[in-house]
């Protein structure tokens, strides 16, 4: 694994435990938030986005996960290269 701070998925995982439900783990990140995978319960199999840029959201939305795909396969199929 990369030994730096930002790209190290192990460090990101342990940092996220306080801000994500137990049933959700981070699988990636960008400059605005984290891509997360539901691993149990109501979240199982679904892919979510959790923003870290709260300037766009109301206070009641701060702990909200945004559903971006109903499955990991659907998520991968939505990926594309910007040319």
């Amino acid at each position: 694994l990369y030994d730096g701070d930002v790209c190290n998925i192990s460090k990101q995982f342990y940092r996220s435990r306080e801000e994500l439900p137990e049933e959700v783990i981070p699988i990636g990140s960008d400059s605005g938030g984290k891509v997360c995978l539901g691993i149990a319960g109501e979240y199982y199999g679904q892919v979510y986005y959790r923003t870290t840029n709260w300037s766009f959201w109301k206070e009641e939305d701060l702990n909200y996960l945004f559903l971006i795909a109903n499955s990991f396969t659907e998520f991968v199929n939505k990926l594309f290269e910007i040319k």
Side-chain angles (χ1 to χ4, degrees), residues 42-69:
E42 66 182 289
Y43 303 101
Y44 183 78
Q46 297 174 321
V47 181
Y48 294 86
Y49 186 76
R50 179 174 162 79
T51 186
T52 54
N53 184 354
W54 297 115
S55 62
F56 297 108
W57 311 107
K58 296 180 275 186
E59 188 170 330
E60 60 267 19
D61 293 333
L62 292 182
N63 292 313
Y64 193 75
L65 293 169
F66 298 91
L67 179 66
I68 56 175

